[in-house]
Every structure is written in C-alpha cells, then in structure tokens.
C-alpha cells in the first residue's frame, strides 16, 4: 500500500513498529460488517427503549434520593415530562442510526443522551447499558452511514464502500470485552463449584425445559463451567476460520438459552447481532452476493461495488494513540477490584465497570430506625416509601448505598427538628447460598461512616468465606 504525502509525514515521527500498526489501523476495509451492525444496533436499542419505557423514564425523573457515581454527582435528575422528552429523542435517534438519516447528529445525540441516563443513578447500573454507551460512542466517531443509508442517497459524494479498519475493530473489541472479562471474573472458587448457577436453576424448577436438571448435583457445576469456557473462548473461536461456524451456532444457542433462564434485557439479541463484527468483510460480502443472486437472479450494484479496489489509507497519530489509550483504560478498569481486600461480590468495591456479570447472587435484608439520643425513642423507617422499585432491590445489597441512604435519613430527621439523630441499621446478607451474616456492623451509625474514594471500607463486616453453602431445596447446609 502506497502512502500519501500526508501519511508519510505522520509515519516519519513514529518508530517502524508503531508506524506499521498505525497504518494497519487506518487501512481501508469493506464497510459491510459495520453497516450491518449499525442497522442492527439502531433497531435493537429502539426496541429496548420502548420495551423498558416506564422504567427508563422513572430512572432519570425527580425522586427523593438517588445514588450517583463518584464524580458524577452533578448529573441532574429531571421532571417526569422532561424525562419523557429525553427518551422520545433517544428513540428518534435510534431510528436515525438504523436508517442512516442525519446519522452523525443522531449518533452523537444518542451517545450523549443514553450516557446521561446511565450516569444519573448507580442503582440502575447494568453492564449492558454500559456496553450500549460505549458502542454508541464508536458509532458516533465512525462513518457507518456511507452505505445503505439515506445520507448516502441524499449526498452521493458521501457514499463509500470502505472505512478505516479501526472503525470496525473498535466496536468489535468493545463487544468482546464483556465475554473476555466476564470469563476471567468467573475464575473464582464459588463459580467453579457451581454457585450461583445452582441457585439460578432452582428458580427454574417450574420450567419444563429445565425440570430434568434442576436439583441434579452436577447440573450447576456443568452449566457454570460451560459459561466460563464460552466467555473465555467464544471470541477466538469466532475469529478462527475452522471454528467460526460452530462458534456462531454456539453463540446463538448460548444467548437463546440465557433469554429463557435470565432476565437480561436486549443483550442476547445484541450479542447475536454483533457477531457480524467478528466476521471477515469479504466472507460477509460473499454471503450477501449469493443471497442477492438467489433472490433477484443477478448481483446487485451494491454487491458489485464491494468487489472494486479500495482507496489508499492515510495514517494519523491521533487515531493510533486515541485507540490505544481508550482500550488501555478499558483493560485496566475490570482488574481494579483485585487490588482491594475482600470478595467483590460481598463488598461491591470495584464491582462497577468490571464485567462481573451474574458472577454472584446476594440475598439481602435491611432495616432502619431513626432514634432520638435524648429520649431514646426510635422510629422504624419504611425505606420502600423513599425508593423506586429498582432502588429497593439494589440498596440492601450495596454497602455504600446503605450509607448514603442513612445520611439521607439523618438530614431529613434534622430538618424535621430532631437534634443529633442516631441512625440504627440492621443489614444482613447471604452471598451465593452462605448463611446470612451482618454486612455492616450494627453497632455503628451508618450516617457517620465515610465511603473511601478508592479502596476498602473497614466498616464492612468481612465475609465468612468458609461458611457452608446451603441446600436450596431444603434450606439445610449442604453435606
């Protein structure tokens, strides 16, 4: 490949190895896989937004308390009517992405808007929402609208059969991260002995499809190891020609099974649809050409264009270092909890953005009392009156969330005229079937506790790792 003068100028400041990598990143390749992903992504997220409309509007609407991410306390809640408008705009942006109409604006609006809804409240954290934010960002900086889009029809000069390699490679790597790091996260004693998969199976005892394996001693272990091996090896299997077909079939089977076993939203469909990112563009070209000839009796002009020579590439240090820096951060974030003492499933420290998907199962109970230190009188608090349904599910198992809610109760009690109130909290949890134990020392006032910016909070009661795993059928300790 011959470099343009601009390309040679940029490469001259790089070492040979770095320069070759930069040139490889910007080398033009067929854009067919990126275009297909654009269409799939836009349609699936449009469906996801509409399917979860009420919960998503509630997520960013004004409420008594929220649980912001560290550093994003400034992200505001909005009135309910504004929350509806936000999601109307997001839905319209998804359509624009799918059909390639005003694509750049649609992709940027979607990325910023969806990321805003994601950052408002940590109680609504979902690995798949996080992934959607990242994939939306890659679409926003790329050129997925140069083929099969209204923009390419409206502006013929925009139409192209190629994109730089990084525009396909970026979302492909981003899509691979949940699998790879999800597999690494499962390499822990509980998962390897079948927990919490065994508990999940007991929750499916009335499903005919799984009735034959529920309660089998081996079932939880087999499914746990199958999930671990799938996560670790599905991406290499998709990339290796000899295993590609088997990997695609396995991918579909895995996600369809997950749809039946777990409530994980749109991710199974997104995982199946994003498989196209791991396919060689020329292979996808051949498939579409064959289908076009079968359906229409001749090769379409779009398919013929894919066979034409591709233009030259120009190298940019911005692309190189931006690409490397982004994935360096993405590679470090999931490992940070290994540097923090304690079981991440118990403490939730370093849990977020680490792709620890379905690795643990917690059962939690929490109760609060606001006490007057002068009279000794205590008032029981129904925290469900202050929290949304999602917050009610999240807060009892989240030590930092409990502390934030306790501070909220203290401030409300003081504003109500109580002098120096004491907050009493009983927080007990069970991790992966272990006996219940205190998660926060009940002798401590959680409203006076400090949440560290990074590291371990000493007020979290250590998990008794050696406690026996329970029998989900009888409730007795497992022999």
């Amino acid at each position: 490949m011959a470099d343009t003068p601009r390309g040679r100028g940029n490469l001259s400041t790089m070492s040979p190895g770095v320069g070759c990598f930069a040139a490889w990143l910007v080398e033009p390749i067929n854009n067919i896989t990126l275009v297909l992903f654009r269409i799939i992504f836009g349609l699936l997220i449009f469906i996801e937004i509409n399917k979860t409309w009420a919960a998503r509007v509630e997520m960013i609407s004004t409420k008594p308390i929220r649980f912001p991410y560290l550093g994003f306390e400034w992200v505001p809640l909005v009135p309910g009517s504004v929350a509806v408008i936000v999601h109307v705009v997001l839905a319209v942006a998804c359509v624009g992405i799918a059909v390639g109409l005003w694509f750049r604006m649609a992709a940027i609006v979607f990325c910023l808007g969806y990321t805003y809804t994601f950052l408002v409240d940590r109680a609504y954290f979902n690995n798949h929402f996080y992934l959607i934010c990242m994939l939306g960002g890659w679409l926003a900086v790329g050129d997925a609208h140069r083929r099969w889009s209204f923009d390419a029809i409206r502006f013929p000069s925009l139409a192209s059969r190629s994109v730089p390699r990084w525009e396909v490679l970026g979302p492909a790597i981003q899509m691979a991260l949940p699998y790879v790091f999800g597999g690494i996260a499962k390499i822990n004693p509980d998962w390897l002995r079948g927990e919490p998969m065994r508990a999940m199976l007991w929750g499916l005892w009335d499903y005919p499809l799984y009735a034959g394996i529920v309660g089998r001693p081996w079932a939880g272990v087999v499914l746990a190891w199958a999930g671990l091996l799938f996560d670790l090896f599905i991406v290499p299997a998709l990339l290796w020609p000899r295993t590609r077909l088997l990997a695609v079939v396995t991918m579909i089977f895995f996600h369809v099974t997950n749809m039946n076993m777990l409530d994980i939203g749109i991710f199974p469909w997104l995982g199946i649809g994003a498989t196209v990112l791991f396919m060689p563009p020329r292979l996808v070209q051949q498939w579409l050409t064959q289908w076009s000839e079968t359906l229409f009796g001749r090769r379409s002009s779009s398919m013929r264009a894919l066979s034409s020579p591709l233009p030259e590439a120009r190298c940019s240090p911005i692309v190189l270092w931006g690409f490397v820096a982004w994935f360096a951060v993405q590679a470090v974030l999931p490992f940070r909890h290994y540097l923090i003492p304690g079981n991440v499933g118990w403490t939730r420290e370093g849990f977020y953005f680490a792709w620890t998907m379905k690795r643990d199962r917690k059962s939690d109970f929490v109760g609060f009392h606001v006490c007057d230190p002068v009279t000794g009188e205590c008032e029981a608090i129904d925290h469900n009156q202050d929290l949304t349904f999602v917050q009610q599910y999240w807060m009892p198992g989240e030590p930092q969330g409990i502390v934030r809610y306790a501070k909220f109760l203290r401030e409300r009690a003081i504003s109500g005229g109580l002098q120096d109130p004491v907050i009493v909290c009983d927080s007990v949890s069970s991790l992966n079937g272990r006996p219940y134990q205190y998660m926060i020392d009940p002798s401590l006032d959680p409203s006076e506790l400090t949440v560290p910016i990074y590291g371990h909070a000493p007020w979290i009661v250590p998990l008794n790792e050696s406690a026996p795993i329970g029998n989900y059928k009888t409730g007795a300790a497992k022999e």
Side-chain angles (χ1 to χ4, degrees), residues 369-379 381 405-425 444-449:
H369 289 78
V370 177
C371 300
D372 185 336
V374 177
T375 65
E377 295 181 353
C378 293
E379 176 189 2
I381 301 297
Y405 181 68
K407 294 180 183 294
F408 166 81
L409 291 178
R410 177 182 175 84
E411 293 173 1
R412 187 168 66 181
I414 292 175
S415 64
L418 189 62
Q419 296 294 322
D420 197 22
V422 174
I423 309 300
V424 177
C425 172
L444 301 176
D445 181 344
S447 68
E448 296 181 347
L449 299 177

Side-chain angles (χ1 to χ4, degrees), residues 61-126:
S61 297
T62 305
K63 52 181 69 73
I65 181 175
R66 68 187 181 102
F67 302 87
Y69 294 92
L70 179 67
F72 291 93
E73 295 83 0
W74 54 271
V75 178
L77 294 169
V78 296
S81 57
V82 177
V84 170
I85 294 173
V86 168
H87 284 89
V88 169
V89 171
L90 286 177
V92 172
C94 286
V95 175
I97 290 173
V99 303
L101 181 61
W102 292 302
F103 170 80
R104 183 74 64 201
M105 180 187 300
I108 292 174
V109 167
F110 171 81
C111 179
L112 295 178
Y114 200 93
T115 302
Y116 157 70
T117 66
F118 172 77
L119 291 174
V120 162
D121 196 331
R122 190 161 42 121
Y124 292 81
F125 175 84
N126 185 301

Side-chain angles (χ1 to χ4, degrees), residues 301-317:
S301 59
S302 178
M303 295 301 104
R304 289 196 301 270
L306 284 170
S307 301
S308 305
L310 297 175
E312 298 292 340
R314 290 188 294 181
C315 301
S316 169

Side-chain angles (χ1 to χ4, degrees), residues 287-300 303:
W287 290 344
L288 293 178
T289 300
Q290 292 172 0
W291 294 342
S292 174
E293 292 174 347
T294 300
L295 293 175
F296 305 107
R298 59 186 178 83
R299 181 183 297 188
S300 69
M303 295 301 104

Side-chain angles (χ1 to χ4, degrees), residues 46 55 59 67 105 126 129 170 201 207 222 238 291 320 352 408 414 423:
F46 175 81
M59 177 169 60
F67 302 87
M105 180 187 300
N126 185 301
F129 295 165
L201 283 176
Y207 282 69
V222 169
L238 285 170
W291 294 342
L320 169 66
Y352 298 95
F408 166 81
I414 292 175
I423 309 300

